[in-house]
Amino acid sequence: MDSFTEQILKAKPSGKQLFAMAGAILVTVVGVFTLLFISGSIGIALVVVGAFLIYYFKTGQNLEYEYSFLNSDCDIDAIINKTTRKQVYSFAGSDVSSVMSYNSEKFQNELEVNAKLTVRNLSSRDKSNTDNWYVFMVNSGNGTTGVVLELNEKTLEHVKSAYNKSKLQLD
Protein backbone atom coordinates (compact mmCIF):
# COMPACT_ATOMS: atom_id res chain seq x y z
CA MET A 1 0.00 0.00 0.00
CA ASP A 2 1.32 3.42 -0.94
CA SER A 3 1.97 6.09 1.66
CA PHE A 4 1.74 9.77 0.73
CA THR A 5 2.37 13.03 2.55
CA GLU A 6 2.95 16.60 1.48
CA GLN A 7 4.14 19.75 3.18
CA ILE A 8 4.18 23.41 2.15
CA LEU A 9 6.92 25.61 3.57
CA LYS A 10 7.40 29.36 3.18
CA ALA A 11 11.00 30.29 2.33
CA LYS A 12 12.92 33.44 3.20
CA PRO A 13 14.53 35.34 0.30
CA SER A 14 18.01 34.16 -0.64
CA GLY A 15 21.06 36.41 -0.65
CA LYS A 16 20.91 36.62 -4.46
CA GLN A 17 17.30 37.77 -4.32
CA LEU A 18 18.08 40.45 -1.73
CA PHE A 19 21.08 41.62 -3.76
CA ALA A 20 18.94 41.85 -6.91
CA MET A 21 16.31 43.87 -5.01
CA ALA A 22 19.01 46.24 -3.75
CA GLY A 23 20.22 46.67 -7.34
CA ALA A 24 16.69 47.47 -8.52
CA ILE A 25 16.30 50.07 -5.78
CA LEU A 26 19.66 51.57 -6.73
CA VAL A 27 18.57 51.86 -10.39
CA THR A 28 15.41 53.68 -9.24
CA VAL A 29 17.36 56.09 -7.02
CA VAL A 30 19.83 56.83 -9.83
CA GLY A 31 16.84 57.40 -12.11
CA VAL A 32 15.31 59.93 -9.72
CA PHE A 33 18.67 61.70 -9.37
CA THR A 34 19.09 61.74 -13.17
CA LEU A 35 15.51 62.99 -13.63
CA LEU A 36 16.02 65.89 -11.22
CA PHE A 37 19.55 67.00 -12.07
CA ILE A 38 20.67 65.72 -15.47
CA SER A 39 18.16 64.58 -18.10
CA GLY A 40 14.42 64.12 -17.80
CA SER A 41 14.01 61.45 -20.48
CA ILE A 42 16.88 59.26 -19.24
CA GLY A 43 15.73 59.73 -15.66
CA ILE A 44 12.16 58.66 -16.46
CA ALA A 45 13.45 55.60 -18.32
CA LEU A 46 15.61 54.58 -15.36
CA VAL A 47 12.76 55.10 -12.88
CA VAL A 48 10.41 52.97 -15.00
CA VAL A 49 13.02 50.20 -15.39
CA GLY A 50 13.81 50.34 -11.66
CA ALA A 51 10.13 50.19 -10.69
CA PHE A 52 9.59 47.19 -12.97
CA LEU A 53 12.64 45.41 -11.51
CA ILE A 54 11.46 46.10 -7.95
CA TYR A 55 8.05 44.60 -8.78
CA TYR A 56 9.64 41.60 -10.54
CA PHE A 57 12.10 40.82 -7.74
CA LYS A 58 9.53 41.44 -5.00
CA THR A 59 7.13 38.86 -6.47
CA GLY A 60 10.03 36.40 -6.79
CA GLN A 61 10.73 36.72 -3.07
CA ASN A 62 7.29 35.31 -2.20
CA LEU A 63 8.45 31.69 -2.39
CA GLU A 64 7.07 28.47 -0.96
CA TYR A 65 8.32 24.91 -1.34
CA GLU A 66 5.98 21.95 -1.57
CA TYR A 67 7.44 18.59 -0.61
CA SER A 68 5.47 15.59 -1.87
CA PHE A 69 6.55 12.17 -0.62
CA LEU A 70 5.08 9.04 -2.19
CA ASN A 71 6.63 6.21 -0.21
CA SER A 72 10.35 7.09 -0.36
CA ASP A 73 10.20 9.10 -3.61
CA CYS A 74 10.16 12.88 -3.31
CA ASP A 75 9.10 15.72 -5.61
CA ILE A 76 9.89 19.31 -4.63
CA ASP A 77 8.05 22.17 -6.29
CA ALA A 78 8.64 25.89 -5.91
CA ILE A 79 5.52 28.03 -5.75
CA ILE A 80 6.32 31.62 -6.63
CA ASN A 81 3.93 34.38 -5.57
CA LYS A 82 1.19 31.75 -5.10
CA THR A 83 0.64 31.75 -8.86
CA THR A 84 3.50 29.89 -10.55
CA ARG A 85 4.52 26.32 -9.77
CA LYS A 86 7.77 24.78 -10.99
CA GLN A 87 9.39 21.46 -10.12
CA VAL A 88 12.86 22.23 -8.74
CA TYR A 89 14.06 18.80 -7.64
CA SER A 90 12.97 15.19 -7.58
CA PHE A 91 14.58 12.01 -6.33
CA ALA A 92 13.72 8.35 -6.03
CA GLY A 93 14.11 6.67 -2.67
CA SER A 94 16.45 4.13 -4.25
CA ASP A 95 18.91 6.96 -5.07
CA VAL A 96 19.11 8.10 -1.44
CA SER A 97 22.15 6.68 0.34
CA SER A 98 21.35 8.26 3.72
CA VAL A 99 19.16 10.74 5.55
CA MET A 100 20.80 12.74 8.33
CA SER A 101 20.23 15.79 10.46
CA TYR A 102 21.74 18.99 9.05
CA ASN A 103 23.38 19.77 12.42
CA SER A 104 24.83 16.29 12.86
CA GLU A 105 28.55 15.59 12.99
CA LYS A 106 28.06 13.02 10.21
CA PHE A 107 26.90 15.70 7.78
CA GLN A 108 29.59 18.17 8.84
CA ASN A 109 32.21 15.43 8.29
CA GLU A 110 30.70 14.70 4.88
CA LEU A 111 31.08 18.37 3.94
CA GLU A 112 34.75 18.31 4.95
CA VAL A 113 35.61 14.98 3.33
CA ASN A 114 33.65 15.21 0.07
CA ALA A 115 34.81 18.28 -1.86
CA LYS A 116 32.56 17.35 -4.80
CA LEU A 117 29.40 17.29 -2.69
CA THR A 118 26.73 19.62 -4.06
CA VAL A 119 24.31 21.01 -1.46
CA ARG A 120 20.82 22.14 -2.53
CA ASN A 121 19.13 24.06 0.29
CA LEU A 122 15.38 23.78 -0.31
CA SER A 123 14.41 24.76 3.22
CA SER A 124 12.95 27.98 4.62
CA ARG A 125 16.52 29.34 5.00
CA ASP A 126 15.57 30.42 8.52
CA LYS A 127 18.69 29.66 10.57
CA SER A 128 16.63 29.41 13.78
CA ASN A 129 14.94 26.27 12.36
CA THR A 130 18.06 24.24 11.55
CA ASP A 131 16.99 21.61 14.11
CA ASN A 132 14.24 20.69 11.61
CA TRP A 133 16.57 20.55 8.59
CA TYR A 134 17.40 17.10 7.21
CA VAL A 135 19.83 16.21 4.45
CA PHE A 136 18.98 13.55 1.89
CA MET A 137 22.21 12.28 0.31
CA VAL A 138 21.13 11.60 -3.29
CA ASN A 139 23.41 9.70 -5.66
CA SER A 140 23.13 10.54 -9.36
CA GLY A 141 25.23 10.35 -12.50
CA ASN A 142 27.03 13.60 -11.62
CA GLY A 143 27.97 12.61 -8.06
CA THR A 144 26.27 13.09 -4.73
CA THR A 145 23.89 15.91 -3.88
CA GLY A 146 22.91 16.80 -0.33
CA VAL A 147 19.29 17.98 -0.52
CA VAL A 148 18.37 20.01 2.57
CA LEU A 149 14.67 19.88 3.48
CA GLU A 150 12.90 21.35 6.50
CA LEU A 151 10.52 18.66 7.72
CA ASN A 152 7.60 19.06 10.09
CA GLU A 153 6.64 16.24 12.50
CA LYS A 154 4.19 14.57 10.11
CA THR A 155 6.63 14.53 7.21
CA LEU A 156 9.49 13.35 9.42
CA GLU A 157 7.36 10.44 10.63
CA HIS A 158 6.62 9.56 7.01
CA VAL A 159 10.35 9.61 6.17
CA LYS A 160 11.15 7.41 9.17
CA SER A 161 8.58 4.85 8.05
CA ALA A 162 9.40 5.02 4.31
CA TYR A 163 13.19 4.58 4.48
CA ASN A 164 14.84 1.48 5.84
CA LYS A 165 16.69 1.89 9.10
CA SER A 166 20.15 1.54 7.49
CA LYS A 167 19.62 4.80 5.54
CA LEU A 168 18.39 6.81 8.52
CA GLN A 169 21.22 8.45 10.45
CA LEU A 170 19.15 10.85 12.51
CA ASP A 171 20.99 10.50 15.83
Side-chain angles (χ1 to χ4, degrees):
M1 186 165 138
D2 288 335
S3 176
F4 177 79
T5 191
E6 66 182 357
Q7 173 185 342
I8 294 180
L9 177 72
K10 182 146 180 65
K12 289 177 122 182
S14 69
K16 286 181 184 178
Q17 290 172 318
L18 294 174
F19 185 72
M21 179 62 88
I25 291 170
L26 181 64
V27 167
T28 306
V29 169
V30 168
V32 169
F33 177 79
T34 304
L35 176 68
L36 295 175
F37 299 110
I38 299 174
S39 169
S41 59
I42 295 173
I44 289 173
L46 286 173
V47 169
V48 169
V49 168
F52 171 77
L53 290 174
I54 289 172
Y55 172 77
Y56 178 77
F57 292 130
K58 183 67 177 164
T59 58
Q61 288 181 359
N62 188 5
L63 175 68
E64 296 175 327
Y65 289 114
E66 179 183 61
Y67 309 146
S68 300
F69 283 92
L70 177 61
N71 299 325
S72 60
D73 299 338
C74 181
D75 293 318
I76 304 158
D77 293 342
I79 303 168
I80 302 165
N81 205 30
K82 299 188 188 231
T83 58
T84 306
R85 174 185 296 264
K86 169 175 118 172
Q87 185 175 46
V88 292
Y89 204 83
S90 181
F91 57 85
S94 58
D95 294 335
V96 175
S97 60
S98 64
V99 180
M100 59 188 80
S101 173
Y102 179 82
N103 293 328
S104 70
E105 285 186 33
K106 292 175 186 176
F107 179 61
Q108 300 308 317
N109 289 340
E110 189 70 34
L111 286 173
E112 291 176 14
V113 171
N114 190 350
K116 294 183 180 179
L117 177 67
T118 304
V119 178
R120 293 277 313 259
N121 188 345
L122 302 173
S123 70
S124 68
R125 297 186 198 102
D126 184 354
K127 297 288 186 187
S128 67
N129 291 337
T130 59
D131 290 344
N132 298 327
W133 291 9
Y134 296 89
V135 183
F136 292 74
M137 301 301 283
V138 180
N139 299 318
S140 63
N142 350 353
T144 303
T145 302
V147 181
V148 180
L149 304 179
E150 185 174 326
L151 304 180
N152 63 20
E153 283 185 35
K154 178 183 170 190
T155 308
L156 181 59
E157 287 305 314
H158 175 88
V159 166
K160 287 179 179 178
S161 67
Y163 287 90
N164 68 41
K165 303 297 179 208
S166 66
K167 290 186 179 184
L168 295 174
Q169 301 177 10
L170 302 177
D171 300 325

